[in-house]
């Protein structure tokens, strides 16, 4: 149990450590990319209303190398404006004047429709960030939005900063401005937690620098795409653009405007397709929300609890199956959450799974090992006890055996045979009493013995026990004195007799020859104190509690002259406790010992 508790604490401490770190958050992002790819093309009501006009390789082949001549750009945009689209977003940076006439035409075309034109922030690490603005006439004719994508450290564009600032000026993202125009909304309205666009509330808190996670509708090609060349050669049908949000920009290989995205690992996606995805995220209100930290922690605890429950409940194949189930549930749950617009962290959850399964397994192993060791110790104790019993019954058995053989001899005088019969009878009774006591002790140790108290006359019991102990003491010529006033208490006479006998024989065993042992019974008012005092070797202070442990013997006595098993005092203590009393010891080395049984009268 204590192992399990320790491992549980360890687990709780380690969860945040494995779940929230740089490595797992990176893998989380990559794993979510995978799930997004697995989803394929998302349902997108607004995708129909978005059209991309690509200044592509076909355009470059037919109308000269990129950047496209401004005259041609003006011509295409004029055609587009005539088709009456809902919005035109021009993702082409026109910052330097080249061809005033063409630029005036572009401004005019953009002015005919709700338009947005791209700005950028100069990306020179050596200099302070600076806006690269579109030409003033363009900025006057259309809204200006920044066209930056914001790659994560691994180079994948998963989100966009809806607002960017440089030189004290802030601009909204191109796609956000396009969304505002498409919705006929005024400028976006900010609160600390979100950006409002008409009735749409975009969860882009100021604390996260107005970061919006892009819910990619699908791989490149999800949105309808028309080559700019088809605007120039007149093959494009104006109906394709009417009422649509049109994003114009370069996609040609040489244009360089490509980024890795979750749905286009390895090949990248063109800038205008990314803008289209931002636009559709806003218009569809397909906002991807990361889990609040408290929920995240809750999720980890659920995973950990599932692992721990599986490890504790199952074994073998069933356990492997249960753990595999938990492991498989992680990506499944993350996928379901993604479909619901919630970003659950697959890698962190898997890390928590591995940690929990590992620690729960280790905890379970330690706990089983501990239980095994305890049962092994119990088994050894049991074996000891059996040995002790065997030893105790050997003597009376030998006497019975010897006498019963001799009694057969008919030449023996009748009185000798009579004596032997008496001995057999006495020893077999002793044997029966011994076995009964051992069985009681056995049941007491296993907790199944309920002692049965009945009135016992103490001085009588003591006399009887001292009689028996004197036979034992005779071999060391030890004297046993007794002082026990007549008194009645409620006790189990057999067990109490066993306890006193044990204290007396110990006193004899652990004293030199020819010494004196005293048994004294004293009325303490509410109870009785039965003490056995010897003039023996004594017991050091630090050992005085240990001798009541099972199988504990003093070093001195382990190889000493006296045999012993080290369970006697443990049983005496148990008997005292069962009677609602206690055992005390006072002793010091060389000065003898006094053991006192303190028992209640009833
Ligand atoms: P055993 O006598 O079979 O070894 P006990 O549980 O009765 O086992 O006693 C435990 C140990 O306590 C003994 O081995 C001995 O070292 C010590 N001990 C017990 N009684 C006395 C005593 N009266 N004087 C000194 N040492 C004692």
């Amino acid at each position: 149990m204590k192992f399990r508790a320790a491992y549980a604490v360890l687990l709780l401490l380690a969860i945040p450590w494995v779940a929230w770190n740089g490595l797992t958050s990176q893998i989380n992002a990559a794993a979510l990319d995978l799930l997004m790819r697995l989803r394929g093309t998302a349902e997108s009501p607004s995708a129909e209303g978005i059209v991309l006009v690509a200044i592509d390789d076909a355009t470059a082949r037919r109308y000269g190398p990129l950047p496209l001549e401004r005259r041609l750009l003006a011509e295409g945009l004029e055609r587009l404006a005539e088709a009456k689209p809902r919005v035109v977003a021009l993702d082409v940076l026109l910052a330097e004047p080249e061809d005033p006439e063409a630029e005036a035409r572009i401004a005019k075309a953009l002015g005919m429709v709700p338009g947005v034109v791209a700005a950028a922030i100069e990306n020179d690490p050596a200099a302070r960030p600076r806006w690269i603005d579109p030409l003033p006439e363009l900025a006057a004719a259309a809204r200006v939005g920044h066209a930056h994508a914001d790659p994560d450290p691994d180079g994948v564009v998963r989100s966009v900063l809806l607002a960017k600032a440089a030189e004290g000026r802030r601009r909204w993202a191109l796609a956000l401005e396009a969304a505002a125009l498409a919705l006929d909304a005024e400028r976006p309205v900010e609160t600390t937690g979100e950006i409002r666009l008409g009735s749409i509330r975009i969860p882009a808190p100021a604390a996260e620098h107005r970061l919006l996670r892009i819910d990619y509708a699908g791989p490149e090609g999800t949105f309808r795409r028309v080559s700019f060349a088809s605007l120039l050669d007149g093959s494009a049908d104006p109906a394709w653009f009417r009422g649509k949000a049109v994003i114009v920009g370069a996609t040609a290989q040489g244009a360089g405007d490509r980024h890795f995205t979750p749905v286009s690992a390895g090949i990248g996606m063109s800038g205008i397709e990314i803008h289209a995805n931002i636009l559709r995220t806003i218009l569809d209100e397909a906002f991807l929300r990361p889990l609040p930290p408290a929920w995240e922690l809750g999720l980890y605890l659920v995973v950990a609890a599932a692992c721990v429950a599986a490890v504790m409940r199952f074994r073998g194949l069933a356990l492997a199956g249960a753990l595999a189930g938990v492991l498989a549930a992680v990506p499944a749950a993350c996928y379901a959450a993604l479909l619901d617009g919630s970003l659950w962290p697959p890698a962190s959850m898997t890390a928590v799974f591995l940690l929990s399964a590992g620690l729960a397994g280790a905890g379970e192993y330690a706990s089983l090992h501990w239980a095994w060791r305890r049962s092994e110790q119990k088994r050894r104790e049991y074996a000891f006890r059996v040995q002790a019993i065997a030893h105790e019954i050997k003597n009376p058995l030998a006497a019975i055996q010897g006498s019963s053989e001799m009694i057969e001899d008919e030449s023996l005088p009748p009185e000798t045979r009579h004596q032997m019969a008496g001995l057999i009878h006495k020893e077999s009774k002793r044997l029966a009493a011994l076995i009964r006591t051992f069985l009681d002790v056995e049941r007491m140790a296993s907790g199944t013995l309920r002692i049965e108290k009945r009135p016992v006359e103490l001085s009588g019991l003591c006399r009887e026990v001292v009689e028996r102990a004197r036979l034992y003491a005779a071999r060391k010529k030890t004297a046993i004195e007794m002082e026990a006033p007549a008194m009645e208490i409620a006790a189990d006479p057999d067990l109490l007799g066993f306890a006193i006998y044990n204290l007396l024989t110990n006193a004899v065993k652990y004293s030199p020859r020819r010494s004196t042992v005293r048994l004294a019974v004293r009325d303490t008012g509410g109870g009785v104190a039965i003490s056995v005092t010897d003039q023996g070797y004594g017991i050091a202070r630090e050992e005085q509690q240990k001798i009541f442990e099972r199988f504990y013997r003093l070093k001195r006595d382990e190889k000493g002259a006296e045999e012993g098993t080290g369970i006697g005092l443990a049983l005496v203590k148990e008997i005292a406790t069962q009677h609602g009393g206690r055992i005390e010891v006072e002793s010091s080395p060389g000065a003898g010992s006094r053991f006192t049984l303190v028992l209640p009268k009833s």
Side-chain angles (χ1 to χ4, degrees), residues 572-585:
V572 171
K573 185 177 172 187
E574 184 71 36
I575 291 168
T577 314
Q578 292 275 345
H579 278 82
R582 61 179 191 278
I583 175 98
E584 290 171 356
V585 58

Side-chain angles (χ1 to χ4, degrees), residues 459 462-463 465-467 469-470 473 477-484 500 503-504 507-508 514-521 530-535:
S459 64
C462 287
R463 204 169 307 118
V465 175
V466 167
E467 272 318 285
R470 276 190 178 131
K477 304 228 177 333
T478 307
I480 302 182
E481 291 176 357
M482 180 185 112
E483 184 194 325
I500 300 171
L503 294 178
L504 286 172
V508 174
R514 295 179 201 284
S515 60
T516 303
V517 169
R518 257 179 80 79
L519 170 68
V521 176
I530 306 166
S531 60
V532 175
T533 313
D534 64 44
Q535 302 163 334

Side-chain angles (χ1 to χ4, degrees), residues 254-279:
D257 189 18
R258 287 187 85 80
H259 301 273
F260 296 136
T261 71
V263 291
S264 60
I267 46 167
M269 184 182 265
S270 63
I272 52 171
E273 185 103 18
I274 295 177
H275 291 309
N277 277 295
I278 301 169
L279 182 59

Side-chain angles (χ1 to χ4, degrees), residues 458 483 496 499-500 502-504 506-507 518-524 527-534 539 544-545 547-548 569 572-577 579-587 592-600:
L458 256 187
E483 184 194 325
L496 184 55
I500 300 171
N502 246 282
L503 294 178
L504 286 172
N506 272 356
R518 257 179 80 79
L519 170 68
V521 176
R522 198 161 45 85
D523 193 337
T524 60
V528 57
I530 306 166
S531 60
V532 175
T533 313
D534 64 44
I539 305 152
Q544 286 179 8
Q545 287 316 307
I547 52 173
F548 295 105
L569 284 180
V572 171
K573 185 177 172 187
E574 184 71 36
I575 291 168
T577 314
H579 278 82
R582 61 179 191 278
I583 175 98
E584 290 171 356
V585 58
E586 302 153 72
S587 179
S593 315
R594 173 182 295 144
F595 286 83
T596 308
L597 267 173
V598 183
L599 303 176

Side-chain angles (χ1 to χ4, degrees), residues 506 509-510 534 547 552-554 556-557 564-566 568-569:
N506 272 356
K509 264 188 342 191
Y510 304 112
D534 64 44
I547 52 173
Y552 189 84
R553 303 196 71 202
L554 296 189
R556 174 193 73 204
D557 298 318
T565 54
L569 284 180

Side-chain angles (χ1 to χ4, degrees), residues 163 170 172 187-197 204 206 210:
R170 219 171 58 131
W172 297 114
R187 295 265 151 188
V189 180
E190 290 182 78
T191 66
T192 42
E194 55 193 27
I195 296 172
R196 283 187 206 153
L197 218 54
R210 304 297 184 196

Side-chain angles (χ1 to χ4, degrees), residues 48 52 93 182 513 534 555 566 574:
E48 273 291 290
L52 305 178
L93 197 55
R513 294 173 73 80
D534 64 44
K555 278 255 161 347
E574 184 71 36

